[in-house]
Amino acid sequence: METKNESANRVQVDRGGEFARHVQEGLTADQAHLSSRFIYDERGSRLFQRIMALGEYYLTRAEFEIFTSHAPEIALAFASGGKRIELVELGAGDGSKTKLLLEALVALGADFTYRPVDISADILEVLRGDLRETLPGVRVEPLVGAYRDVLDALPAAANVKRVVIFLGSNIGNFDFAGAEAFVGTLGARLAPGDQFFVGVDLRKNPRRILAAYDDATGVTAAFNLNLLHRLRKDFDAELELGGWGFYPTYSPETGEVRSYLYPVSGPQRIRIPALGVDRTFQTHETIHTEVSRKYSLPELQVLAKAANAEVTREWTDGRGLFVDVLMEVA
């Protein structure tokens, strides 16, 4: 789960109809799927704010605890080597946690530029305006676009250390093979001595993990079901919202939480004339919405190797629920 806002999703629809293409492909596939990244319109973002406040959803609080306790150490690790720092944050959103790191870098007297990356120009402008008020001395150069497109476009820079940060367990939205491919692509775009700083949700008691994605009050269910609200809002889809439910699973063997929408009151038809979609889902059929993978520390070593890097530091919260890992490219 990662926070965005309505404008972010409008950008996705407008730029070549990415959302429309995804819906066409996803709802006609043998295993239907709709990516959770399209949940985040205004309504979805409000629901995610509620999720982060739930007692069951420990992830955000755990990473905040890490930054509150260890931001100076993390900043010092970023500044090692004596070069000017280019801090590139993938999926920056509102930058609430990152501000703690920026404050620590300022206190350290580090020479750095902060380059937040997001698909929403609007949310990046809000972030830049906020930092202009709270940290006026920080150089902020937002980059609008998808992660890989932005990384491809970054120019080579002499005597600059590039630190790419990816927080909030967003790496968990890939399965393991996808995560290896992602960090491998990232490592190929970084120079020796550059760093990758990633927030990761650790494997733990399976019941605790599942509860974080299946809260007793049903907020997470409403969050996932917002995909269907978006189909009606964006594409005038014909479907019965009340005919669908939400079902998550967690496998301790793979470390994956997998989330699904399923018919709860007999077969359910989804018809979207504008996209040529007309499918009736039988009671045994599902729409897959999200993967949230949890990691062990040895698995993070494997990811580092895929990026031609090595793990140099790890910071965990007091209960060992979450870890922020610093990898350095060889």
Side-chain angles (χ1 to χ4, degrees):
M1 301 176 185
E2 58 178 313
T3 53
K4 294 289 180 285
N5 62 9
E6 184 173 14
S7 60
N9 292 282
R10 292 300 183 189
V11 169
Q12 289 174 314
V13 174
D14 293 343
R15 290 182 176 172
E18 182 185 357
F19 187 26
R21 289 195 302 273
H22 177 76
V23 170
Q24 285 176 315
E25 294 170 3
L27 291 184
T28 56
D30 289 342
Q31 170 57 71
H33 54 88
L34 292 172
S35 172
S36 60
R37 68 193 177 101
F38 292 108
I39 294 174
Y40 296 93
D41 62 356
E42 184 178 359
R43 182 176 185 271
S45 294
R46 287 199 307 268
L47 286 166
F48 189 71
Q49 293 297 318
R50 290 176 59 191
I51 286 172
M52 289 192 294
L54 292 170
E56 297 99 325
Y57 194 77
Y58 56 83
L59 289 81
T60 304
R61 291 188 298 274
E63 192 165 38
F64 260 115
E65 179 188 326
I66 292 170
F67 288 3
T68 301
S69 302
H70 301 291
E73 298 169 40
I74 296 169
L76 192 61
F78 289 173
S80 64
K83 295 182 179 180
R84 182 168 62 85
I85 304 164
E86 185 179 71
L87 194 66
V88 181
E89 180 174 13
L90 305 181
D94 65 4
S96 54
K97 284 181 285 192
T98 312
K99 290 173 191 172
L100 297 173
L101 300 180
L102 299 181
E103 290 169 356
L105 284 167
V106 170
L108 192 63
D111 180 12
F112 73 98
T113 299
Y114 174 50
R115 309 191 81 175
V117 178
D118 205 281
I119 57 172
S120 169
D122 289 347
I123 200 167
L124 288 174
E125 193 55 41
V126 170
L127 174 57
R128 177 156 59 178
D130 179 45
L131 291 175
R132 193 178 294 127
E133 293 184 8
T134 57
L135 291 169
V138 173
R139 293 188 298 272
V140 183
E141 299 178 1
L143 299 167
V144 180
Y147 301 157
R148 286 178 177 143
D149 293 341
V150 168
L151 290 170
D152 285 343
L154 285 175
N159 203 36
V160 171
K161 178 181 180 180
R162 194 162 275 160
V163 180
V164 178
I165 64 177
F166 197 37
L167 306 180
S169 195
N170 286 328
I171 192 73
N173 292 141
F174 299 98
D175 61 21
F176 193 73
E180 282 190 299
F182 176 74
V183 299
T185 299
L186 176 62
R189 285 157 175 75
L190 297 177
D194 287 348
Q195 294 172 327
F196 180 38
F197 183 66
V198 56
V200 181
D201 192 19
L202 291 169
R203 296 194 187 215
K204 58 186 68 68
N205 186 310
R207 292 188 182 278
R208 181 161 204 167
I209 291 173
L210 189 58
Y213 295 85
D214 193 21
D215 63 281
T217 55
V219 180
T220 310
F223 175 74
N224 279 263
L225 287 163
N226 194 55
L227 281 165
L228 303 184
H229 284 269
R230 286 211 63 194
L231 295 184
R232 290 182 63 169
K233 181 183 68 174
D234 289 283
F235 305 117
D236 296 319
E238 300 171 17
L239 59 92
E240 179 56 54
L241 290 172
W244 290 86
F246 166 70
Y247 181 73
T249 67
Y250 175 64
S251 168
E253 293 180 345
T254 65
E256 289 182 355
V257 176
R258 301 184 72 86
S259 299
Y260 301 89
L261 304 180
Y262 70 98
V264 294
S265 55
Q268 295 296 321
R269 184 184 185 187
I270 297 179
R271 182 172 179 267
I272 311 176
L275 302 181
V277 173
D278 190 348
R279 178 169 178 176
T280 297
F281 289 82
Q282 303 302 319
T283 54
H284 65 278
E285 293 184 295
T286 60
I287 300 174
H288 178 227
T289 60
E290 185 175 31
V291 172
S292 297
R293 195 181 195 283
K294 315 306 173 185
Y295 282 86
S296 65
L297 292 176
E299 287 174 320
L300 296 177
Q301 299 284 352
V302 175
L303 282 190
K305 288 181 181 179
N308 191 32
E310 62 178 18
V311 174
T312 57
R313 291 291 303 272
E314 300 166 356
W315 293 271
T316 62
D317 63 286
R319 292 174 292 174
L321 302 175
F322 198 95
V323 64
D324 282 283
V325 176
L326 187 64
M327 303 178 184
E328 185 166 314
V329 178

